[in-house]
Amino acid sequence: MPAYHSNIPDHGVRLLCGFPIQPLRTTCKGNAPPCQGEDIVDEALHYFKANMFFKNFEVKSASDKLLIYVTLYIQQCITKLPHKSKGEAEKLLYSLAIENFSLPGDKTFALGGLVSAPPSRADAEFIRTYMMQLRQETGMRLVQLVYAHGQMEPDKWWALFAKKKFLNKSL
């Protein structure tokens, strides 16, 4: 059985470092184009549990690269959530989203073989802003899902993924 791939088309979307700059349905400040329907964050959260069991992922489109990155970020977020209340989780994931993180082209970037370095300093700043907005929005939506049944403890069906690794990688 193959992994779930992105259904969001990436034609007509700006590609930067191999990532498509997909529209986001967001309230966070950033440079992502606005979106009304389902976006890459919705898709990553929807397919997260199923995709976590795969050790291989065949990249079929540029949107798949973004789906992989968001899935790795969700996995990183979930490792931080055990034994945290919803309020603590919101603060923790916000600080995780805005902390200094690796960009495409850095030695420590998890998807080094799939993406390229930004061609200019302006593009590097653009991709950093976009990825920060993507991380903030992912964290906000993840908290709503993980704490849907209570404010004090994360849902056990999400927390069990804290020890698994997607593609044997981490951000």
Side-chain angles (χ1 to χ4, degrees):
M1 169 142 187
Y4 290 97
H5 295 277
S6 178
N7 296 321
I8 298 176
D10 53 8
H11 53 18
V13 175
R14 179 181 178 195
L15 282 178
L16 188 57
C17 305
F19 280 134
I21 306 300
Q22 292 284 4
L24 296 177
R25 192 182 50 180
T26 183
T27 56
C28 302
K29 185 178 174 185
N31 54 13
C35 170
Q36 300 303 325
E38 186 176 275
D39 62 4
I40 194 73
V41 176
D42 291 327
E43 203 170 59
L45 289 168
H46 180 75
Y47 293 140
F48 175 77
K49 291 178 183 178
N51 278 346
M52 283 298 291
F53 293 105
F54 291 99
K55 300 288 183 210
N56 299 313
F57 192 97
E58 180 186 354
V59 177
K60 293 185 176 180
S61 68
S63 292
D64 281 346
K65 296 175 190 177
L66 197 57
L67 181 70
I68 291 169
Y69 180 80
V70 176
T71 302
L72 287 171
Y73 181 69
I74 293 169
Q75 192 266 326
Q76 182 184 21
C77 291
I78 288 176
T79 62
K80 308 278 187 196
L81 295 182
H83 312 297
K84 302 278 191 282
S85 69
K86 184 176 181 179
E88 292 171 330
E90 287 171 342
K91 291 175 188 171
L92 183 73
L93 294 187
Y94 177 77
S95 64
L96 181 65
I98 63 171
E99 77 179 8
N100 197 13
F101 53 90
S102 299
L103 290 176
D106 292 347
K107 288 181 185 178
T108 58
F109 190 68
L111 305 177
L114 295 175
V115 296
S116 58
S120 69
R121 197 173 205 127
D123 286 339
E125 189 56 38
F126 186 91
I127 196 76
R128 176 177 295 286
T129 305
Y130 178 75
M131 290 174 85
M132 187 180 300
Q133 183 181 13
L134 182 68
R135 290 163 64 106
Q136 287 174 336
E137 189 61 35
T138 302
M140 287 180 2
R141 293 192 208 170
L142 180 64
V143 166
Q144 297 308 314
L145 282 174
V146 172
Y147 291 91
H149 301 296
Q151 304 285 317
M152 298 312 294
E153 282 288 319
D155 186 297
K156 67 180 180 180
W157 301 112
W158 281 92
L160 67 90
F161 288 98
K163 293 183 177 154
K164 285 204 70 67
K165 281 191 169 184
F166 178 58
L167 304 177
N168 288 325
K169 292 184 182 273
S170 60
L171 289 182

